[in-house]
Amino acid sequence: MERQPKLRLKPIDKNDDESMRIYGMTGKTVESFNSYVADFLQTVAILRENIEKAHTTADQEKAAEMREHIEHVERKIDELTEAMQRIADDMSSLVEFEK
């Protein structure tokens, strides 16, 4: 499986309630984005395995269909990765992006 792009929540020093509330909400968003990427990458891995099985059974039509699915999911991964990068850029004091 390819390396997963991730958002990481940076530690903060502030203890006030509002900062901690925002920090908690940001943490949940970071977890969601990371989970989506992991799910998409797992989907691509499964589809690639299925393509190999289709090749062994000579089902080229099914293999072509799965390649289309892979391309679609990879576009979604790219979109999500770009959004993650924008979040890290916009919230650099709280979040960092790791590719």
Side-chain angles (χ1 to χ4, degrees):
M1 189 182 313
E2 44 185 292
R3 185 166 172 174
Q4 176 179 333
K6 288 186 177 186
L7 289 174
R8 295 203 186 278
L9 196 59
K10 294 179 179 179
I12 61 170
D13 294 328
K14 299 183 179 169
N15 286 353
D16 65 90
D17 290 342
E18 188 63 16
S19 294
M20 294 310 294
R21 185 181 71 78
I22 292 168
Y23 189 75
M25 289 171 39
T26 304
K28 288 178 184 177
T29 301
V30 163
E31 289 174 16
S32 293
F33 271 90
N34 290 338
S35 292
Y36 289 140
V37 171
D39 289 347
F40 283 147
L41 290 173
Q42 184 64 36
T43 298
V44 169
I46 291 168
L47 288 169
R48 286 188 176 136
E49 288 175 12
N50 289 339
I51 285 174
E52 291 303 316
K53 290 176 187 172
H55 283 300
T56 59
T57 61
D59 192 348
Q60 296 303 313
E61 186 176 316
K62 186 170 185 156
E65 182 180 310
M66 283 185 269
R67 279 191 289 277
E68 287 179 25
H69 287 298
I70 288 172
E71 289 174 9
H72 173 76
V73 173
E74 286 176 337
R75 283 192 301 274
K76 294 299 179 189
I77 291 169
D78 290 343
E79 291 172 10
L80 189 55
T81 300
E82 289 173 15
M84 292 167 78
Q85 181 65 61
R86 285 192 307 273
I87 288 170
D89 291 345
D90 292 344
M91 301 181 75
S92 60
S93 63
L94 287 178
V95 177
E96 63 186 353
F97 180 72
E98 180 182 293
K99 185 145 181 152

